[in-house]
Structures are given as structure tokens and as C-alpha cells.
């Protein structure tokens, strides 16, 4: 196997783990993806759930996809929706948006599971200041098919000759994979940069074991064969390389350090707007 294996950093958010595989020293980005976070798997006690308070973004798009559970999304555009397994939430921050992510009240009545991924896509320099947008795409609207024991769902961009309806700003490669035991799949080589994240299950790539809950950055132009030794959940990310370096600070992404400083001030002075029904405020981190 010719690839780079990355062990993500693990953050415990009070009984709920998030594994961050990008950015790392080995991969500052993969295609336009500058953050790759694996959420869970977790099961919350009755009355509990995730509570990500209102916070701001600029210069990126957030992409949320779940295998289990539900997350309620609210933002300063007035969006108020619940994402469930197989759906996609795509939020373009552009010149600025704030949102919150919480477990819906109905999901807190009993033990509630949560398992999924949230990724951040850096916008091209020419689109960093576009107007913010939010789109929810139901599972049935995404290209999905089964082949030889593998189920594929194109979350965003193009793969295997199919294209997601999610609006993207650069060539994007983002696919959810579910493989039955012994199923094999040759990875599409149409994207320039690609990485495979194993959420759950035992897998091999070109006959070599690959560790669960790690990111595997694939060599350009190759078509490695993924094989499931057990039921397998995985995600592919990648696409067109960034058009220059990006600065990341807290929830802000920009090609300009000065723009990030402006975003800090805008958040402190309330210029991102308010979220109806969710008035909490997260202060800027100290560092």
C-alpha cells in the first residue's frame, strides 16, 4: 500500500469524542478540505445530547453527514432544520454566518446515538466573501447505489461518474461508503487529491490492513482496492487542491490574516447577527 496513514487528535467534549484528522503536520488539507472531524460514535443518556452554542464562521463551507442520530441546525439566515442519517447539511459561511448545533428535544427523551462526520471546505479566494447560504439535502436526493456489496452515496461533488446536487465552489470529492464483509471497491481516481477515513470496521487497502478511525491519504492517480473484513463505514474526501495557503484560527478560515482579525472584532461587536431561538454567545477563545 502506497499511502500516508494519519492518526487523528482526539478531543473529549464531555462524554462525546471528536477525532480531528485534518489539519495535521502530514496533511494541512486534502483537496479543498481543511478540517475533517469524526463525531462519535456516542450514546447520550436520557435528557442529554450535543449542545454546540452559537458560533461564527467565515471563508469556508461546513458539510455535515450522519450515520446515526440527529442534529438540529439554526443559523443567522433563519435556517432551522434537523439533519438525520443520510442527509447532507451544506453551510456556506462566505463573508460571515453564525450557527448552533444541538440535539433536538425529541431525541433527548431516551438514549440517543450520534455518529457522523463534519468537514470544512475552504472556499476559493474568489469566493471567500460570497453571501452566506445554507442548504439541506435529504438522503433520497443524493446519488446512491449498490455494487458488489458496497453502498455508495455521493455527498458533494463528483465520483464514479455521478454528481451530487449540493452546490460546490471547486472540484470536490466526497463519498460515504458502507461495505458488507468481504466486499471490495476500487477507489475512483478522478480527483487529484483523495483521502479515506475509516469510521468503523476492519479494512484492507491493496491487501494491507488499515487502522480504524484513521485517515489514509492516497497517492495521486492510483486506484487502490478497499476490502471490508467486517461491516465497514468509511468516507472519501478530496478534490481540487487549494489555490494557495489558508490561515485557520478558531472557526475562521481565510487566505488573509487581516481578514481573520476583522472577523474576531465583528464577532465581539455582534456584527454576525443573532440566531432566533438560540441567544447564547460563545466568547472568543483566549488563544
Amino acid at each position: 500500500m502506497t499511502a500516508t496513514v494519519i492518526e487523528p487528535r482526539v478531543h473529549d467534549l464531555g462524554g462525546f469524542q471528536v477525532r480531528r484528522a485534518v489539519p495535521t503536520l502530514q496533511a494541512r488539507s486534502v483537496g479543498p478540505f481543511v478540517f475533517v472531524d469524526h463525531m462519535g460514535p456516542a450514546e447520550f443518556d436520557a435528557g442529554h445530547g450535543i449542545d454546540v452554542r452559537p458560533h461564527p464562521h467565515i471563508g469556508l463551507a461546513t458539510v455535515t453527514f450522519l450515520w446515526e442520530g440527529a442534529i438540529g441546525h439554526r443559523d443567522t439566515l433563519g435556517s432551522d432544520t434537523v439533519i438525520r442519517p443520510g442527509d447532507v447539511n451544506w453551510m456556506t459561511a462566505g463573508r460571515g454566518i453564525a450557527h448552533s448545533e444541538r440535539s433536538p428535544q425529541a431525541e433527548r427523551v431516551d438514549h440517543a446515538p450520534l455518529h457522523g462526520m463534519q468537514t470544512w471546505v475552504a472556499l476559493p479566494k474568489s469566493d471567500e466573501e460570497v453571501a452566506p447560504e445554507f442548504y439541506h439535502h435529504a438522503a433520497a436526493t443524493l446519488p446512491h447505489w449498490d455494487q458488489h456489496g458496497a453502498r455508495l452515496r455521493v455527498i458533494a461533488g463528483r465520483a464514479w461518474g455521478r454528481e451530487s446536487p449540493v452546490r460546490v465552489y471547486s472540484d470536490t470529492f466526497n463519498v460515504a461508503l458502507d461495505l458488507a464483509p468481504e466486499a471490495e471497491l476500487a477507489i475512483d481516481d478522478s480527483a487529484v487529491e483523495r483521502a479515506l477515513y475509516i469510521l468503523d470496521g476492519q479494512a484492507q487497502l491493496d491487501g494491507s490492513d488499515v487502522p480504524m478511525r484513521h485517515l489514509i491519504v492516497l497517492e495521486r492517480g492510483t486506484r487502490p482496492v478497499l476490502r471490508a473484513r467486517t461491516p465497514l463505514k468509511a468516507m472519501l474526501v478530496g478534490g481540487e487542491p487549494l489555490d494557495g495557503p489558508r490561515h485557520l484560527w478558531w472557526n475562521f478560515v481565510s487566505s488573509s490574516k487581516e481578514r481573520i482579525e476583522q472577523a474576531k472584532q465583528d464577532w465581539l461587536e455582534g456584527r454576525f447577527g443573532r440566531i432566533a431561538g438560540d441567544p447564547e454567545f460563545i466568547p472568543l477563545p483566549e488563544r
Side-chain angles (χ1 to χ4, degrees), residues 92-111:
T92 300
R95 60 175 175 257
I97 195 171
H99 72 138
S100 64
E101 297 160 295
R102 300 181 186 271
S103 297
Q105 288 303 318
E107 308 295 326
R108 299 175 187 248
V109 174
D110 202 351
H111 296 278

Side-chain angles (χ1 to χ4, degrees), residues 45-237:
D45 292 335
H48 297 273
I50 66 165
D51 283 295
V52 180
R53 295 175 291 166
H55 58 283
H57 291 288
I58 66 165
L60 57 84
T62 64
V63 192
T64 307
F65 185 88
L66 300 179
W67 270 266
E68 291 183 283
I71 298 175
H73 166 99
R74 290 178 173 174
D75 62 39
T76 47
L77 299 176
S79 309
D80 186 353
T81 190
V82 175
I83 182 174
R84 299 188 182 278
D87 299 344
V88 173
N89 275 3
W90 176 285
M91 185 183 76
T92 300
R95 60 175 175 257
I97 195 171
H99 72 138
S100 64
E101 297 160 295
R102 300 181 186 271
S103 297
Q105 288 303 318
E107 308 295 326
R108 299 175 187 248
V109 174
D110 202 351
H111 296 278
L114 187 69
H115 194 197
M117 294 196 72
Q118 188 172 84
T119 54
W120 293 5
V121 175
L123 298 175
K125 291 179 182 179
S126 59
D127 295 307
E128 285 184 309
E129 297 297 321
V130 299
E133 297 176 322
F134 174 79
Y135 296 102
H136 173 87
H137 296 267
T141 67
L142 302 177
H144 57 280
W145 69 100
D146 296 297
Q147 60 181 61
H148 309 299
R151 186 184 185 203
L152 297 85
R153 291 173 281 183
V154 182
I155 296 170
R158 297 188 301 270
W160 279 275
R162 294 163 169 89
E163 185 169 1
S164 167
V166 176
R167 181 186 178 188
V168 296
Y169 288 82
S170 60
D171 285 343
T172 304
F173 180 69
N174 194 190
V175 184
L177 305 175
D178 291 87
L179 273 66
E182 307 305 325
E184 294 187 348
L185 178 70
I187 304 299
D188 188 331
D189 62 352
S190 59
V192 177
E193 295 184 355
R194 301 163 300 157
L196 171 72
Y197 186 87
I198 306 296
L199 288 88
D200 198 16
Q202 298 179 20
Q204 291 181 331
L205 204 60
D206 282 346
S208 297
D209 291 341
V210 291
M212 184 171 63
R213 296 172 189 168
H214 282 61
L215 185 78
I216 300 96
V217 180
L218 307 175
E219 289 290 317
R220 295 187 181 191
T222 60
R223 295 198 72 209
V225 174
L226 175 66
R227 177 176 176 267
R229 301 181 64 191
T230 66
L232 185 69
K233 293 179 174 65
M235 180 176 281
L236 290 162
V237 298

Side-chain angles (χ1 to χ4, degrees), residues 20-36:
R20 179 155 295 167
V22 174
T24 62
L25 291 176
Q26 301 102 311
R28 301 299 300 172
S29 60
V30 181
F33 290 85
V34 293
F35 265 50
V36 175

